[in-house]
Amino acid sequence: GALALVLTVSFAVALVARQGGPAKPAAAQAPLPPLNTAGYALARPLGITRAVYEFAARHPEVSRYVPCYCGCEADGHRNNENCFIGARDANGNVTRWDTHGFSCAICVDVARESMQLYNSGADVASIRAAIERKWTPLHRTKTPTPPVPAKKR
């Protein structure tokens, strides 16, 4: 009873503090297109692959500002989102997946770490900093990802 209420209130306060204000409801999104992995050699188990694709689809405010380190900038990618999302409509709904993330362990691992940091309460700037601290020294290349926008006051 009381302990559950205290934990719930503590979590809500932490969530509001993380976001810098009351939690905003997620924008209404159309259902995601089917993720057809048949015929692809997945770099990670299907459950992880599905989770990072869904995270990229539902959290572009994170994945657009996280670089990728696999060399995919040669294919025109600018961020980790591009490894998973092929196209969005004018409302931001995913209309096509990019299959690159199916077979690339680096893309999936960067996205999974971003997702875990986000789920633990980290903001986008902290997520990017943590990813860059870990991955930049390990790789010679990364996508030309735009900086995280400054927080509005």
Side-chain angles (χ1 to χ4, degrees):
L3 180 58
L5 178 61
V6 168
L7 291 174
T8 301
V9 170
S10 296
F11 178 76
V13 168
L15 185 62
V16 168
R18 169 178 86 112
Q19 295 177 343
K24 296 177 186 171
Q29 291 187 338
L32 296 174
L35 188 64
N36 184 1
T37 60
Y40 291 92
L42 299 180
R44 297 289 181 248
L46 181 58
I48 292 170
T49 301
R50 285 188 185 284
V52 298
Y53 267 85
E54 183 172 346
F55 181 77
R58 301 211 185 281
H59 295 285
E61 78 282 5
V62 176
S63 58
R64 284 182 182 160
Y65 298 106
V66 172
C68 188
Y69 293 85
C70 75
C72 61
E73 70 277 1
D75 296 327
H77 289 189
R78 296 183 47 77
N79 50 45
N80 194 232
E81 178 190 40
N82 294 154
C83 303
F84 307 103
I85 308 302
R88 291 182 184 269
D89 65 19
N91 295 321
N93 297 308
V94 174
T95 58
R96 184 173 46 84
W97 300 112
D98 189 309
T99 57
H100 178 80
F102 288 169
S103 59
C104 186
I106 292 172
C107 299
V108 172
D109 291 350
V110 167
R112 187 175 186 199
E113 289 172 28
S114 298
M115 179 177 66
Q116 290 169 334
L117 289 163
Y118 177 84
N119 289 338
S120 73
D123 65 13
V124 179
S126 299
I127 293 168
R128 169 118 177 215
I131 295 294
E132 287 185 327
R133 242 187 336 272
K134 177 180 177 178
W135 289 87
T136 299
L138 303 174
H139 298 277
R140 292 181 302 201
T141 182
K142 71 177 182 179
T143 54
T145 306
V148 176
K151 289 185 178 182
K152 296 175 185 166
R153 293 180 180 242

